[in-house]
Amino acid sequence: MDDERTAGADSTENSIETGHEGGQRRRISRKNVLKAAVAAVPLPLLLGGAALARDTKPADGPLAPTPYCDDGDDPTPPQMEGPYFKPNSPLRDSLIQPGTQGTRLTVSGFVFGLTCQPLANVLLDWWQADVNGAYDNVGFRFRGHQFTDQRGAFKLTTIVPGLYPGRTRHLHVKLQAPNQPILTTQLYFPGEPRNNTDPLFNPALLMNVRQNGSAKEASFDFVLRVRGSSTPGPTPTGKPTTPGGTWATGTDYRTGDQVTYDGAAYTCLQPHTARDGWEPPAVPALWRRA
């Protein structure tokens, strides 16, 4: 299966050769070796199948980012948030609740910057339709946010979303590294008949999907317009970053805490340690304007 998410051809330089498969030598990029060490998984799990961003050799230049999407208010432009996004989703990595129906799905991967280095502490805010193709616009079923770990890795447990008129099967997600722009995009499933008729479908956003018993496992690597290998650490506790505001990086906030930022008041929705880029207006999953 062609993978249009990563830029450039398979590397032939700075690679190592290993074994034979079908009488041909298989090359492993330096990135594969790096990811094998970072992810602490057996190297064969990173071989074969469609390429991911982790397989792309960075020596010839930066990675092509995941298609960047303007974060405006239009509900239907390609890869925009659409009409069903809700802020203030709960912090969780599983959207499964008691009585949840549908085929179980795990989505895992990494978030990279342009220099092909993993990004820690990236916010991922997910939302999707249920098995019947309906969105919960009253509560927060099939909605939740999480953060990448220190390896830049994430894992979401959910179900395969249902279909509704006009769309192919898809997941919605917003990503934001600290002090960086928000990326709003969608992930798609290979082999779906409606991929050919959905005007929003983008093959660059296809996940790798495989069957695992009665469940499905998917993988996707995001590439953001961020240079460097890590997100900035917190500044000293209590140091205001906005003139006249009480919000401060490095502060441990609890649910219900009140702050001011740029002349407006906000209420904390989730316990967290404040970082640059997580200012109240920029992270609706953490702050609600009072």
Side-chain angles (χ1 to χ4, degrees), residues 111-179:
V111 180
F112 297 106
L114 292 176
T115 56
C116 206
Q117 296 298 314
L119 298 174
N121 301 314
V122 175
L123 171 69
L124 298 95
D125 198 348
W126 303 90
W127 71 104
Q128 67 171 84
D130 65 16
V131 69
N132 298 313
Y135 288 83
D136 180 7
N137 296 317
V138 176
F140 289 93
R141 288 191 312 116
F142 298 109
R143 299 176 185 272
H145 73 274
Q146 60 183 190
F147 297 90
T148 56
D149 63 19
Q150 293 304 307
R151 304 170 303 150
F154 69 90
K155 183 177 181 180
L156 176 74
T157 303
T158 183
I159 66 166
V160 175
L163 295 168
Y164 58 92
R167 293 304 316 274
T168 191
R169 218 177 296 274
H170 62 282
L171 303 172
H172 293 271
V173 61
K174 286 177 177 282
L175 299 93
Q176 185 182 29
N179 203 31

Side-chain angles (χ1 to χ4, degrees), residues 2-289:
D2 292 337
D3 186 349
E4 300 175 29
R5 277 184 282 115
T6 54
D10 294 337
S11 65
T12 56
E13 300 176 358
N14 298 314
S15 63
I16 59 177
E17 292 183 345
T18 179
H20 287 74
E21 181 172 326
Q24 296 181 348
R25 285 190 179 273
R26 167 175 276 171
R27 290 183 177 273
I28 308 174
S29 69
R30 292 187 305 151
K31 187 59 182 174
N32 271 341
V33 177
L34 172 64
K35 289 318 303 164
V38 171
V41 298
L43 187 59
L45 293 182
L46 300 179
L47 303 177
L52 295 171
R54 71 195 78 164
D55 303 320
T56 300
K57 180 172 91 48
D60 295 330
L63 289 174
T66 299
Y68 185 82
C69 307
D70 188 304
D71 204 37
D73 295 327
D74 192 332
T76 56
Q79 313 321 320
M80 286 252 192
E81 67 184 34
Y84 301 119
F85 173 72
K86 285 182 59 177
N88 310 324
S89 69
L91 175 64
R92 57 188 179 187
D93 57 15
S94 176
L95 306 185
I96 302 295
Q97 297 178 333
T100 295
Q101 298 180 343
T103 301
R104 295 298 191 265
L105 170 71
T106 58
V107 182
S108 61
F110 295 86
V111 180
F112 297 106
L114 292 176
T115 56
C116 206
Q117 296 298 314
L119 298 174
N121 301 314
V122 175
L123 171 69
L124 298 95
D125 198 348
W126 303 90
W127 71 104
Q128 67 171 84
D130 65 16
V131 69
N132 298 313
Y135 288 83
D136 180 7
N137 296 317
V138 176
F140 289 93
R141 288 191 312 116
F142 298 109
R143 299 176 185 272
H145 73 274
Q146 60 183 190
F147 297 90
T148 56
D149 63 19
Q150 293 304 307
R151 304 170 303 150
F154 69 90
K155 183 177 181 180
L156 176 74
T157 303
T158 183
I159 66 166
V160 175
L163 295 168
Y164 58 92
R167 293 304 316 274
T168 191
R169 218 177 296 274
H170 62 282
L171 303 172
H172 293 271
V173 61
K174 286 177 177 282
L175 299 93
Q176 185 182 29
N179 203 31
Q180 298 294 331
I182 296 173
L183 168 67
T184 304
T185 192
Q186 302 177 36
L187 300 182
Y188 297 99
F189 295 76
E192 289 288 329
R194 291 193 186 182
N195 289 350
N196 297 322
T197 58
D198 187 337
L200 300 185
F201 171 73
N202 186 342
L205 297 170
L206 278 169
M207 297 182 290
N208 288 316
V209 181
R210 72 181 184 93
Q211 196 74 32
N212 183 9
S214 62
K216 292 182 181 294
E217 295 179 346
S219 57
F220 189 88
D221 292 342
F222 296 95
V223 180
L224 303 182
R225 293 186 183 277
V226 178
R227 294 189 178 275
S229 61
S230 63
T231 53
T235 56
T237 301
K239 180 181 178 181
T241 58
T242 303
T246 61
W247 181 88
T249 58
T251 303
D252 292 326
Y253 288 109
R254 297 171 298 177
T255 301
D257 285 350
Q258 302 283 325
V259 300
T260 57
Y261 184 90
D262 198 21
Y266 294 87
T267 301
C268 179
L269 300 173
Q270 301 286 344
H272 67 283
T273 300
R275 296 175 179 269
D276 289 333
W278 295 357
E279 295 84 356
V283 191
L286 300 179
W287 295 99
R288 179 181 65 232
R289 186 161 180 165

